[in-house]
Amino acid sequence: MKADERAMNADNRIIVALDVSSQEDAIALLDKLPDVSFWKVGLELFVSSGPGILEILKQREKRIFLDLKFHDIPNTVAGACRAAAKYNVDLLTIHSTCGKDALKAAQLALTEGAAAVDKPSPKLIAITLLTSLNSRQLAFELKIPLELPEYALHMALLAKETGLAGAVCSPQEVEQLRMSCGDDFLLVCPGVRPKWADGGDQKRSMTPKAAVKAGADYLVMGRPITAAPDPVAAFARICEELG
Ligand SMILES: O=C(O)c1cc(=O)[nH]c(=O)n1[C@@H]1O[C@H](COP(=O)(O)O)[C@@H](O)[C@H]1O
């Protein structure tokens, strides 16, 4: 995505996470927030209610981020990507820590899978380091000897070198990743928190405005909107803060 495309409306930049456990609850959120144009279907909803929600989102002409965070051997992630291609979603996730062979196999299978069903290929984006982890956990639980920013950059570059379309990173690393990965590399940031929202389990947060200023193409937000007492007002307030 080029810089001019990045200068889009605030509400087009926000991807709202449909982190609910049933299709009925998901539809209730879609009904409540008709102005949201980009939705994320993640593990909770996909595992509990299957792919039906994707068809519903398509019927409503919404863009879809299918966040299944694949993490497996090359043959398995390739099979999963080939199968996911038929859903005709916009974004799909895989962990960079699968390694280059798996990332390459996944990208190739996704492209082939999309061509086989005559659909555009979803953009495959790689998780660098989950936003729920901090540098202490990286060092002492995961035993990664690199500093956190260096590790996140390394994971993003692995994805870029393998031909993936972009990466998922915390807003705290997005400026550095943007500088190193260039303007054509899609950078999607979860772990975004307005000042007035609860941080929850997110450890490397920034405000929506700061994240965009630092170079994020898209912001992924769930609870600050969906668990707010008034989700419509929360979404409107975030759009207003983004300017
Ligand atoms: O891939 C993701 O979207 C993701 C990656 C990551 O590192 N951290 C992260 O929070 N996410 C997702 O972003 C969403 C954040 O939700 P909230 O914390 O409720 O805003 C959740 O659906 C997470 O699964």
Side-chain angles (χ1 to χ4, degrees):
M1 182 176 294
K2 304 275 187 317
D4 54 345
E5 282 176 278
R6 203 167 300 122
M8 54 185 151
N9 291 340
D11 47 351
N12 288 339
R13 254 181 215 296
I14 301 173
I15 303 176
V16 180
L18 266 176
D19 288 335
V20 290
S21 59
S22 72
Q23 194 163 289
E24 296 73 56
D25 288 349
I27 292 171
L29 271 174
L30 299 186
D31 289 342
K32 202 176 279 179
L33 290 162
D35 290 342
V36 174
S37 58
F38 210 153
W39 290 92
K40 181 171 87 81
V41 174
L43 290 170
E44 183 182 2
L45 182 57
F46 199 84
V47 172
S48 57
S49 74
I53 187 66
L54 303 177
E55 194 46 49
I56 292 167
L57 286 163
K58 284 273 157 205
Q59 280 160 8
R60 295 183 186 212
E61 296 182 348
K62 304 294 182 185
R63 286 189 293 162
I64 306 172
F65 173 7
L66 181 58
D67 176 29
L68 299 181
K69 292 192 179 67
F70 296 144
H71 192 203
D72 216 312
I73 60 170
N75 185 58
T76 304
V77 290
C81 283
R82 196 170 291 111
K86 71 170 179 287
Y87 295 132
N88 191 18
V89 298
D90 299 272
L91 302 175
L92 185 70
T93 41
I94 184 166
H95 280 277
S96 254
T97 46
C98 286
K100 263 191 177 171
D101 288 349
L103 294 174
K104 263 191 206 151
Q107 180 59 65
L108 182 65
L110 190 61
T111 310
E112 285 174 359
V117 291
D118 205 18
K119 302 250 161 64
S121 181
K123 289 192 162 97
L124 188 61
I125 57 176
I127 310 293
T128 52
L129 178 70
L130 290 171
T131 55
S132 55
L133 296 167
N134 60 22
S135 29
R136 202 181 149 70
Q137 289 168 299
L138 185 73
F140 296 107
E141 288 177 20
L142 305 188
K143 299 282 182 201
I144 305 281
L146 297 181
E147 292 295 326
L148 192 153
E150 201 187 336
Y151 178 75
L153 176 61
H154 173 67
M155 287 299 159
L157 288 173
L158 203 64
K160 187 175 160 69
E161 285 160 19
T162 321
L164 267 63
V168 178
C169 63
S170 110
Q172 294 188 8
E173 293 97 54
V174 73
E175 186 171 6
Q176 186 200 7
L177 266 57
R178 174 62 65 210
M179 270 193 307
S180 304
C181 298
D183 276 351
D184 291 332
F185 197 63
L186 196 67
L187 291 173
V188 176
C189 289
V192 177
R193 287 289 183 269
K195 285 207 172 81
W196 42 268
D198 186 41
D201 49 3
Q202 298 290 358
K203 301 254 174 68
R204 310 199 312 283
S205 299
M206 257 162 61
T207 65
K209 195 166 182 155
V212 169
K213 194 160 174 248
D217 291 301
Y218 291 105
L219 310 176
V220 179
M221 263 180 283
R223 292 162 290 182
I225 297 169
T226 56
D230 182 346
V232 177
F235 180 65
R237 189 170 171 188
I238 292 165
C239 291
E240 201 181 301
E241 286 174 10
L242 272 173

